[in-house]
Amino acid sequence: MRICLARLSTIFHDRNVSQVEPFFCRPLAAIIVTLLTVGAASGQTDPLDWPYWRGPESNGISRETGLPETFNPKGGAGSMVAWEQPALGSRSTPVVLNGRLYTICRAEPGTAREGEKVVCADAKTGEILWENRFNVYLSDVPAERVGWSAVVGDPETGKVYVLGVCGLFSCIDGETGKTLWSVPLHERFGLLSTYGGRTNYPVICEDLVIVSAVVIGWGENARPCHQFIGLNKETGDVVWFNGTQLLPDDTTYSAPVVTVLNGQKAMVFGSGDGAVWAFQPRTGRHIWRYQFSQRGLNVSPTIDGDTVYMGQSEENVTGTTMGAVVAIDGNSEGDISDSGATWKVERLMVGKSSPLLVGDRLYVVEDSAKLHVLDPKTGDTLAKRIALGTMMRSNLLYADGKIYATEANGRWYIMKPDEKKGVQFLAKGRLPAGEECHGSPICSHGRVYFPSTGNLYCLTDDSRQHGSDPRPEPAAEKPATDRQPAFVQVVPADVLMKPGEDQNFSVRLFNAAGQLLGPGDATFTVQGDGAIDPDGTFHAVKDDKHRAVTVTAQVGKLKGTAKIRIVPPLPWKFDFEDIAISPQTKTGEPPITWIGARYRHVIREVDGNKVMVKITTIPKGTRSRAWFGPSGMSNYTIQADVRGSMTDGKLPDIGLIAQGYALDLQGAKQQLEIRSWDPQLRMAQSVTQDWQPDKWYTLKLQASTEGDKVRLRGKIWVRGEAEPETWTVEAVDTAPVLQGSPGLYGNAKDAELFLDNIIISEN
């Protein structure tokens, strides 16, 4: 007897053995349930789980059958609503793994404790099982845009990964909700967290979890770039770090798709530079690039074989039109901007909702919620466009021969593909007033989930037999018959250390297709201070200097590198007097170990002293932050001399950062403010503070953890005068940020700002 595993998974998922007693005797059913339970516990993938926001095939398609054809959000007989859970209302797309549903939500909205959280619920009942709450801090994103990304689940380990809107990236135990490790990507790498809230989606590939953002980092990464970071999914160590073109116009939320193109494992995504890229996911090396737009891409690619379908709603590379849909030949290498398109249709504003390929039809939805049906081989229009409301943010779901859609203003649709009309409406309606849909519908174990900002609806049709068709076999990667090394990977690739510490580096060799060949017998060298043993153990110099070091591993003629920042314990003092000034530019560069500083600041001589200046002439980043050291710091004070110039009657904003909080001397408002989350101001305190242009002041910010709260104190005085005994402004946070790197905040959009004599010391 042949038994479909997907079908058995559906039958036994809820352990309702009586459903199969007509077909099996009780002992056999119990045996099969046991086998399925053991399979799940041993890390085998449940074929009906939905671990990635676009599903197990990363294309918005489910193979399940017996799903609802109608929906009534008001409930009652025939509504198909198995449960609804307001506590799961969000703009995020949920995922399902091992019988549990995970999503990102606002935490305690509208209160002084507001933040972000991952919520886990029973996928069958909607019962909340746990919440993992974390703060939003040092970010420009408004509270309404929390949950822009989505959780990704790892079927192999049961862990889930989340990138918060401020850049906090965490690995969470899917069973208990405990944070296993976390990395503040904004403080560690310079992730930009903008008002637009465009936070990208993590993706799993074998032993890696890969995440991206536009960053302004340190060293060679000190200029804005859409960077990808491949991290060891167990430890959070950086395995590789690579980006696209410098100075992208936008941040982006184009979710990557891990696939196989021309027999090669590839990760395909849209970049902030307006290009579609393919990277090797194990190494981060470029495969090809197709320039598609003049601005950032937000649609996730849809891939069929070696063809990549993509949409955008920005300016096209040539001409004056906006928006396009393209089919790219993924069987390519290098820059394929001129040759890579199989076809392209312009003037289709497909910039938010990803293409959906069903058989011989490609469904694309414009940002204005107009549905088009295209021939995937030619791009020709196959049906008259269909209105699905007025604004589309979410992706389409295809399951059981039906297309499920939710529109941004709360409209929902259940449709059936139609050869002549494009689609036939089976049911449509609107969610309760005020509920918006930015997340996408998903399907798992006979249930369809509709997320909205006010609710999560679980739909199921108990009158129909739930089942699943076999999933198509994914494209197979070519065997690693090429044993010639082409790339040396040094792990970890980016390290933050203290003086006197040791760090062991390992070397892995890959062939030209990005396939692992094994460890490499390398010769190690060091550029900068420190020593390295033949086995790859680096020994940092033990002193009080901030250093940058490069470790190079050479195997034959091939070389790979790793970058090290060495940051000593407190106290620190920066007066910039030891920084060289270029005779040509009359400027120098800030300390190399600072995150997010070099591109935005220069060192100049002012009144006989060297000072740091945040300039107004950079294309982006006039309003930004910079960080000096590890994120695990707490209970310290930062002080600096500051001065603002005036241009056209306008002053800049000048700020210090301590432990996730900013003290901001505001020019236009003429006030001094303590805050953590700029647009939300959940715990902010401010006082009127008159200050003058071209006059030096001293700013001081102290962060102190006091039990379950953090107390912030700030003061200002004219430089050279006696420091006042009392603090100018104070604030208390009862939902505290318990640790964070010291740094700087500044807004030089209107005029330059100057900093000198920065001192950080323990309280």
Side-chain angles (χ1 to χ4, degrees):
M1 179 183 296
R2 297 179 63 190
I3 302 173
C4 173
L5 177 60
R7 178 74 190 104
L8 290 175
S9 177
T10 302
I11 294 174
F12 294 114
H13 174 68
D14 302 323
R15 306 296 187 259
N16 188 355
V17 200
S18 62
Q19 294 182 40
V20 293
E21 284 186 339
F23 303 95
F24 304 110
C25 63
R26 172 77 64 166
L28 179 57
I31 290 170
I32 296 171
V33 169
T34 302
L35 289 173
L36 287 169
T37 304
V38 171
S42 63
Q44 294 182 9
T45 301
D46 185 330
L48 302 190
D49 276 350
W50 194 272
Y52 191 53
W53 77 295
R54 290 205 74 199
E57 300 173 43
S58 297
N59 59 3
I61 291 179
S62 168
R63 306 296 169 177
E64 297 195 39
T65 58
L67 302 177
E69 294 187 352
T70 187
F71 166 45
N72 185 350
K74 296 181 180 179
S79 70
M80 304 298 168
V81 179
W83 54 262
E84 58 181 281
Q85 178 55 274
L88 296 174
S90 173
R91 66 185 301 124
S92 184
T93 299
V95 301
V96 174
L97 186 70
N98 298 331
R100 297 183 170 211
L101 180 144
Y102 305 89
T103 193
I104 310 172
C105 300
R106 292 171 67 179
E108 302 178 74
T111 72
R113 295 178 52 83
E114 180 161 4
E116 193 169 10
K117 62 184 178 182
V118 174
V119 184
C120 172
D122 187 298
K124 180 183 177 182
T125 66
E127 176 190 1
I128 304 298
L129 301 178
W130 54 254
E131 295 182 353
N132 183 313
R133 186 197 182 284
F134 44 94
N135 274 323
V136 180
Y137 60 101
L138 301 181
S139 170
D140 293 335
V141 65
E144 295 77 17
R145 298 192 178 189
V146 164
W148 194 284
S149 181
V151 172
V152 61
D154 182 13
E156 182 182 3
T157 64
K159 297 172 178 142
V160 296
Y161 299 84
V162 59
L163 176 60
V165 289
C166 77
L168 183 65
F169 185 53
S170 302
C171 170
I172 300 172
D173 186 308
E175 185 74 19
T176 66
K178 178 182 177 182
T179 298
L180 302 176
W181 55 260
S182 65
V183 181
L185 298 182
H186 51 323
E187 295 185 350
R188 176 71 189 278
F189 298 109
L191 172 145
L192 296 183
S193 175
T194 66
Y195 184 84
R198 297 178 183 179
T199 316
N200 218 304
Y201 300 76
V203 64
I204 303 287
C205 180
E206 299 168 358
D207 62 342
L208 300 176
V209 57
I210 304 168
V211 68
S212 83
V214 173
V215 306
I216 303 181
W218 69 281
E220 63 187 22
N221 297 313
R223 302 182 75 191
C225 183
H226 184 188
Q227 297 277 6
F228 276 78
I229 310 169
L231 302 122
N232 182 295
K233 68 182 184 182
E234 293 293 331
T235 65
D237 289 340
V238 178
V239 176
W240 61 261
F241 196 104
N242 200 13
T244 61
Q245 299 175 99
L246 293 175
L247 304 179
D249 275 329
D250 295 297
T251 53
T252 176
Y253 56 92
S254 173
V257 173
V258 176
T259 186
V260 173
L261 298 175
N262 192 28
Q264 179 177 191
K265 183 82 93 174
M267 179 181 69
V268 184
F269 60 92
S271 177
D273 62 13
V276 185
W277 290 77
F279 276 22
Q280 293 177 348
R282 302 184 185 104
T283 67
R285 299 179 76 194
H286 300 165
I287 301 174
W288 54 256
R289 160 185 169 269
Y290 174 81
Q291 192 66 43
F292 188 31
S293 168
Q294 293 187 32
R295 297 183 62 86
L297 304 176
N298 296 311
V299 168
S300 182
T302 294
I303 301 174
D304 180 48
D306 290 334
T307 302
V308 177
Y309 298 99
M310 192 68 175
Q312 57 98 351
S313 58
E314 304 293 344
E315 295 90 344
N316 285 301
V317 176
T318 60
T320 59
T321 62
M322 294 184 65
V325 177
V326 69
I328 304 169
D329 180 5
N331 183 12
S332 307
E333 291 184 356
D335 187 345
I336 60 171
S337 301
D338 295 329
S339 61
T342 303
W343 56 259
K344 183 168 69 169
V345 180
E346 295 187 354
R347 296 185 176 89
L348 288 180
M349 304 287 286
V350 181
K352 304 294 189 299
S353 185
S354 303
L356 174 69
L357 179 65
V358 180
D360 58 357
R361 299 204 160 197
L362 183 70
Y363 296 85
V364 296
V365 187
E366 295 191 83
D367 299 351
S368 60
K370 304 303 182 290
L371 174 65
H372 298 259
V373 186
L374 307 180
D375 185 323
K377 294 182 179 180
T378 65
D380 293 340
T381 299
L382 299 179
K384 186 178 179 180
R385 72 175 189 176
I386 301 148
L388 300 178
T390 60
M391 184 187 305
M392 182 63 71
R393 295 271 178 81
S394 61
N395 289 341
L396 304 176
L397 165 68
Y398 178 75
D400 192 24
K402 296 179 279 288
I403 298 174
Y404 297 85
T406 54
E407 183 255 5
N409 295 304
R411 296 178 178 89
W412 59 266
Y413 304 87
I414 303 177
M415 302 168 282
K416 183 177 181 180
D418 184 276
E419 186 173 343
K420 293 183 178 180
K421 298 180 180 179
V423 296
Q424 174 188 347
F425 289 97
L426 301 178
K428 58 183 176 179
R430 194 160 190 164
L431 300 179
E435 292 189 24
E436 300 177 356
C437 296
H438 305 286
S440 304
I442 70 165
C443 176
S444 179
H445 293 87
R447 308 179 190 98
V448 175
Y449 300 90
F450 276 12
S452 80
T453 53
N455 217 328
L456 180 64
Y457 299 90
C458 174
L459 317 182
T460 189
D461 188 346
D462 292 331
S463 68
R464 305 182 66 191
Q465 185 73 26
H466 299 160
S468 178
D469 295 328
R471 188 186 304 169
E473 286 293 326
E477 186 178 9
K478 292 179 181 177
T481 55
D482 178 7
R483 306 304 297 175
Q484 178 65 35
F487 179 71
V488 176
Q489 186 178 78
V490 185
V491 181
D494 186 283
V495 184
L496 179 60
M497 300 176 62
K498 295 179 181 178
E501 288 186 335
D502 296 338
Q503 173 67 53
N504 182 257
F505 291 93
S506 61
V507 172
R508 303 198 295 181
L509 300 179
F510 293 83
N511 64 16
Q515 296 170 310
L516 179 65
L517 301 179
D521 186 10
T523 300
F524 291 93
T525 56
V526 171
Q527 180 181 350
D529 295 313
I532 195 163
D533 295 337
D535 67 353
T537 302
F538 172 76
H539 307 280
V541 174
K542 191 172 184 179
D543 60 16
D544 61 353
K545 293 184 178 180
H546 297 247
R547 302 178 185 275
V549 177
T550 299
V551 169
T552 298
Q554 183 165 349
V555 180
K557 295 182 179 180
L558 298 175
K559 294 181 180 181
T561 60
K563 304 294 184 182
I564 305 173
R565 282 191 300 149
I566 301 174
V567 177
L570 298 179
W572 306 334
K573 181 176 181 179
F574 305 97
D575 60 13
F576 312 114
E577 294 302 322
D578 60 346
I579 292 178
I581 301 294
S582 166
Q584 289 76 31
T585 65
K586 307 299 183 184
T587 63
E589 292 189 299
I592 190 173
T593 57
W594 289 9
I595 297 293
R598 284 200 159 187
Y599 171 71
R600 298 147 163 169
H601 303 79
V602 297
I603 307 300
R604 287 190 202 147
E605 288 192 0
V606 177
D607 299 330
N609 294 315
K610 295 178 182 178
V611 303
M612 189 168 76
V613 185
K614 186 163 194 184
I615 54 179
T616 61
T617 55
I618 51 178
K620 295 180 182 295
T622 51
R623 185 178 190 270
S624 61
R625 302 164 187 87
W627 289 276
F628 303 157
S631 296
M633 300 173 63
S634 60
N635 292 297
Y636 59 85
T637 301
I638 178 171
Q639 174 179 312
D641 295 337
V642 303
R643 191 181 94 178
S645 60
M646 178 177 281
T647 303
D648 298 329
K650 297 179 180 179
L651 287 166
D653 296 341
I654 312 172
L656 308 178
I657 291 173
Q659 199 173 310
Y661 301 89
L663 176 68
D664 183 13
L665 181 63
Q666 299 173 337
K669 293 183 178 179
Q670 288 287 287
Q671 65 181 21
L672 187 65
E673 181 176 82
I674 290 176
R675 62 173 183 270
S676 178
W677 182 1
D678 292 16
Q680 208 269 2
L681 299 178
R682 62 178 181 81
M683 46 68 65
Q685 296 292 331
S686 60
V687 295
T688 300
Q689 180 63 54
D690 294 327
W691 61 285
Q692 304 300 317
D694 302 319
K695 185 174 182 178
W696 284 100
Y697 298 86
T698 300
L699 274 181
K700 189 173 187 177
L701 172 63
Q702 183 182 89
S704 302
T705 301
E706 301 176 356
D708 59 354
K709 62 185 178 183
V710 167
R711 186 176 300 277
L712 292 310
R713 301 176 176 92
K715 66 173 66 173
I716 183 174
W717 66 96
V718 175
R719 186 175 72 172
E721 296 183 359
E723 177 181 344
E725 294 184 4
T726 60
W727 295 94
T728 310
V729 60
E730 297 189 42
V732 173
D733 191 0
T734 58
V737 183
L738 295 175
Q739 55 188 21
S741 168
L744 304 171
Y745 166 79
N747 186 354
K749 179 181 178 181
D750 295 324
E752 289 184 337
L753 60 92
F754 302 77
L755 302 112
D756 197 9
N757 300 316
I758 300 172
I759 301 171
I760 302 100
S761 57
E762 294 180 349
N763 292 343

